[in-house]
Amino acid sequence: SSGINAEYGVTATRICSYLSLIQKRASGELLTTAAWMRKFVMAHPLYKQDSHVSDEVTYDLMMECKRITEGQKCPDLIGSLRVDSDYNNTQYRRDSYVTESDSSPVFSPTPADL
């Protein structure tokens, strides 16, 4: 019984943290992924402001996305959440969103979720 209550508390915390992220994106406090990508491209020194995104800019954008999924902080995009990645090279990659004040994952998709 106490295990169920503890699990419920962890699940509720995860849901609240993720809903907070969604609320901050909806209010404009945090950038959506699309807005963050546009900002990245517009600020890139090789972007010529001509609506053409070169291979070099695209590569840099994808590498920045990879670094974020590997745990690099990106406050404009995920606020106070950080991303902890667990790579299983033979089956799947799982990203867990963790609040800075709590070490429990906010969202951990399983292979069935991917």
Side-chain angles (χ1 to χ4, degrees), residues 3 9-10 46 48 51 54 63 65-66 72 81 86 101-102 114:
V10 170
L46 296 178
K48 299 176 183 175
S51 298
S54 68
M63 293 307 295
C65 291
K66 180 180 182 288
Q72 174 179 295
L81 294 179
D86 174 33
S101 61
D102 180 12
L114 301 175

Side-chain angles (χ1 to χ4, degrees), residues 29-93:
E29 183 178 339
L30 294 177
L31 296 174
T32 63
T33 304
W36 176 84
M37 293 173 94
R38 282 190 296 275
K39 181 180 174 183
F40 181 93
V41 169
M42 297 291 289
H44 196 284
L46 296 178
Y47 181 63
K48 299 176 183 175
Q49 308 296 323
D50 61 358
S51 298
H52 174 75
V53 181
S54 68
D55 290 344
E56 293 86 357
V57 174
T58 301
Y59 176 82
D60 289 346
L61 175 62
M62 294 299 99
M63 293 307 295
E64 186 68 8
C65 291
K66 180 180 182 288
R67 285 188 287 273
I68 292 168
T69 63
E70 291 173 343
Q72 174 179 295
K73 290 185 179 189
C74 186
D76 287 347
L77 184 60
I78 57 175
S80 64
L81 294 179
R82 70 176 194 272
V83 180
D84 292 331
S85 293
D86 174 33
Y87 290 90
N88 180 335
N89 295 329
T90 60
Q91 294 180 1
Y92 66 95
R93 180 180 58 99

Side-chain angles (χ1 to χ4, degrees), residues 95-110:
D95 295 331
S96 300
Y97 294 86
V98 181
T99 63
E100 298 224 0
S101 61
D102 180 12
S103 63
S104 60
V106 175
F107 176 66
S108 296
T110 65

Side-chain angles (χ1 to χ4, degrees), residues 2-16:
S2 64
I4 292 172
N5 288 336
E7 185 176 323
Y8 174 77
V10 170
T11 300
T13 300
R14 290 176 185 171
I15 291 170
C16 287

